[in-house]
Amino acid sequence: MLSAEEILCSTQQVIAGLEALRGENRSLLESLQEAPESRPAAESGSVEQEKSGIIRQSLERIELGLSEAQVMMALSAHLGSLEAEKQKLRAQVSI
């Protein structure tokens, strides 16, 4: 079983990976949206639209993953502060 610290470390690594993947997908989408004359004639508009749609779906999923990871990090920080407050109150009661 992973400790809370290991989970947070892994989550930070996932966030970094997702941010890199988001950048790559944005670059791909931008290159697909460049002027049509810069692409070979064999690549039709419908194929281009399909690729763009797939990349947009991927970006949406990446954004969702990033949001969920950030919520996990915020929740962990909040739970940590609650635990610290609980320990402080216990120490005050025992005095």
Side-chain angles (χ1 to χ4, degrees), residues 56-90:
R56 282 190 186 95
Q57 285 179 339
S58 179
L59 279 168
E60 288 174 11
R61 291 178 181 144
I62 291 167
E63 292 293 342
L64 177 62
L66 281 167
S67 296
E68 289 177 350
Q70 290 163 350
V71 166
M72 284 177 56
M73 298 293 286
L75 182 58
S76 174
H78 180 67
L79 290 175
S81 67
L82 287 176
E83 185 63 32
E85 183 68 21
K86 185 172 94 174
Q87 294 298 327
K88 176 182 164 188
L89 291 173
R90 280 188 181 161

Side-chain angles (χ1 to χ4, degrees), residues 30-69:
E30 287 173 9
S31 68
L32 279 173
Q33 294 173 345
E34 287 177 351
E37 60 270 3
S38 66
R39 273 190 238 70
E43 192 171 315
S44 70
S46 63
V47 172
E48 178 182 303
Q49 289 175 353
E50 185 177 346
K51 287 180 182 180
S52 293
I54 291 169
I55 292 171
R56 282 190 186 95
Q57 285 179 339
S58 179
L59 279 168
E60 288 174 11
R61 291 178 181 144
I62 291 167
E63 292 293 342
L64 177 62
L66 281 167
S67 296
E68 289 177 350

